[in-house]
Amino acid sequence: MDKNQLIFRINRAVRAIEATSGLGELDISARSILSFIGEAEAEQRTLNVSDVVKGPGFGTAPTVYSRLSVLEKAGWIKYAPDPRDGRAKQVQLTPLARRTYAKMSSEAQKLVAAKRD
């Protein structure tokens, strides 16, 4: 299997997990915001709502707040008080989101390992 085949297989596995987890029902903007939050957590960084609003091209503040609301209602994110600033709220992935991303990562690792064999 060459690198292009590997990429397509990983994409196929990710899309299948998105479809079965409900992640595929979110629009591309909401998925991008969720990914942004997940990447920050993977790097052990904490994001506040304002960090997400200022994020890379997610749209206007009302659009981002709307997407965050959709993600919270769907069970993908939760808010927590910021211990450094009582007025701010941190945005965190829920266990559902963490399990879904872990499953995607596991499937990708299996495909990469299979390519090496």
Side-chain angles (χ1 to χ4, degrees):
M1 168 178 14
D2 69 16
K3 287 182 183 181
N4 288 334
Q5 289 173 321
L6 177 62
I7 290 168
F8 290 122
R9 286 185 179 191
I10 290 171
N11 282 335
R12 186 180 314 132
V14 166
R15 283 193 312 272
I17 293 166
E18 286 176 343
T20 59
S21 69
L23 187 60
E25 296 172 17
L26 299 173
D27 68 29
I28 191 72
S29 179
R31 283 189 290 190
S32 295
I33 291 170
L34 188 62
S35 180
F36 181 71
I37 296 165
E39 288 171 17
E41 282 198 15
E43 296 168 355
Q44 298 180 346
R45 291 184 296 117
T46 306
L47 295 177
N48 286 336
V49 171
S50 61
D51 297 323
V52 179
V53 170
K54 296 174 195 170
F58 296 138
T60 63
T63 298
V64 175
Y65 285 117
S66 172
R67 295 309 185 278
L68 287 170
S69 177
V70 167
L71 290 168
E72 181 186 30
K73 287 177 185 168
W76 293 103
I77 64 166
K78 63 182 179 178
Y79 298 108
D82 185 331
R84 299 166 301 185
D85 182 351
R87 300 166 295 161
K89 290 192 285 185
Q90 295 178 341
V91 184
Q92 302 169 346
L93 296 179
T94 62
L96 167 67
R98 288 189 185 105
R99 281 191 308 271
T100 301
Y101 282 127
K103 189 173 182 180
M104 288 178 185
S105 178
S106 174
E107 289 301 312
Q109 289 174 6
K110 287 178 192 174
L111 289 167
V112 169
K115 181 191 180 302
R116 289 186 193 139
D117 294 339

